[in-house]
Amino acid sequence: MPLIITAFEDSPDRGQGLARDMPVRWALEEVGEPYEVRLVSFASLKAPAHRALQPFGQIPTYENGDLVLFESGAIVLHIAEHHAGLLPEDTGTRARAVMWMFAAISTIVPPIVQREFSEYIERDKSWYKARLPMLESLIRKRLEDLSRRLDDSEWLEQAFSAGDLLMIQVLRRLKGTGMLEEFPVLSAYVSRGEARPAFKRAFDAQLEVFNRKQRRQREGDS
Ligand code: GTB
């Protein structure tokens, strides 16, 4: 039985690879594990069949035989634990790579997601104009600290790991805000991640979902 992950049928970011199937795709590409993608509509996300896999009605999910997982971080960790290449062998260094996975998910991404939500949902609220700079200041604080820590290192620890994969994916969510560019160390770090062949394969695969849909729409219009 093939390993199956789920992703959006309609890419909300128009193929920029910012949704959370992207780190899962990237991890699978890094370790060379073949996978199939089941595309889901926004409506079917909330249907009982999908909720049986993902109780919150979200993507991504991971199905491998009897094992069903949700939460992109947990899926990436599972992939990294069962294949060589994304977690170091040495116990201490391995723990530090896992630590960076948690840092990405629990320290760096929350204000970034809050800012996105604020832009989508709170634009017409009275507090929006005061809240946005507050969130951006918190994001900058995190970026400053991360940038200082990374400094002139290539990766967060000695070698590229699942920690870098999640961190880079999280930082990619700042594209278009101009904030990443304020931190050249982090911009270069993200570019190094994006230059990895496995990243490119994952990115191209999700972009093709968007492009295919666009082509079909154009054919339907003509
Ligand atoms: N903690 C979960 C995980 O990491 O797996 C969060 C999963 C999640 O947020 N999934 C989102 C989802 O399914 C898609 S990725 N949302 C539908 C819903 O909740 O109803 C989040 C996302 C969406 C869109 C963009 N974008 O357009 O740039 C970026 C990221």
Side-chain angles (χ1 to χ4, degrees):
M1 257 206 312
L3 186 165
I4 301 172
I5 67 167
T6 48
F8 283 136
E9 182 181 80
D10 283 307
S11 166
D13 61 25
R14 303 182 61 80
Q16 290 184 80
L18 301 177
R20 298 208 190 196
D21 57 302
M22 184 60 201
V24 175
R25 289 174 184 269
W26 186 4
L28 289 166
E29 293 289 352
E30 287 283 350
V31 302
E33 179 75 35
Y35 63 100
E36 291 183 6
V37 182
R38 187 168 62 248
L39 298 175
V40 287
S41 65
F42 289 107
S44 64
L45 275 181
K46 307 301 173 194
H50 187 77
R51 281 192 194 273
L53 308 175
Q54 216 291 7
F56 309 111
Q58 297 182 313
I59 60 106
T61 57
Y62 168 105
E63 295 159 67
N64 195 2
D66 290 338
L67 180 66
V68 178
L69 296 174
F70 61 92
E71 282 300 330
S72 55
I75 298 170
V76 170
L77 180 59
H78 175 76
I79 296 165
E81 279 180 329
H82 290 86
H83 299 83
L86 282 175
L87 283 177
E89 288 294 316
D90 168 72
T91 313
T93 331
R94 193 179 181 95
R96 294 183 66 78
V98 173
M99 171 188 79
W100 283 115
M101 296 178 72
F102 278 83
I105 291 170
S106 58
T107 302
I108 305 291
V109 87
I112 296 177
V113 170
Q114 286 292 307
R115 183 190 173 282
E116 285 172 8
F117 269 111
S118 188
E119 285 224 298
Y120 292 136
I121 299 167
E122 298 179 339
R123 265 184 186 279
D124 58 343
K125 303 288 186 235
S126 55
W127 62 82
Y128 172 73
K129 278 206 164 75
R131 186 151 188 261
L132 192 66
M134 192 194 77
L135 289 170
E136 292 190 339
S137 145
L138 181 52
I139 293 170
R140 285 194 177 91
K141 201 161 160 304
R142 296 284 188 245
L143 297 183
E144 204 178 307
D145 293 343
L146 184 65
S147 175
R148 192 183 317 108
R149 178 55 178 260
L150 185 64
D151 197 18
D152 58 0
S153 305
E154 189 178 17
W155 308 115
L156 290 165
E157 296 293 326
Q158 288 91 328
F160 177 83
S161 77
D164 294 295
L165 187 153
L166 287 187
M167 190 63 82
I168 289 166
Q169 184 58 27
V170 156
L171 294 175
R172 292 188 67 251
R173 282 180 82 153
L174 289 169
K175 278 180 185 264
T177 66
M179 273 188 277
L180 199 55
E181 292 71 16
E182 293 171 27
F183 299 88
V185 163
L186 297 182
S187 291
Y189 173 56
V190 169
S191 298
R192 278 195 293 282
E194 290 176 338
R196 293 180 71 83
F199 175 92
K200 289 184 180 168
R201 287 194 295 275
F203 183 87
D204 289 348
Q206 64 77 39
L207 179 61
E208 181 52 23
V209 174
F210 175 70
N211 286 341
R212 205 166 45 223
K213 185 102 184 186
Q214 294 285 99
R215 281 198 297 273
R216 274 204 219 105
Q217 267 166 8
R218 274 198 301 273
E219 282 159 18
D221 289 347
S222 60

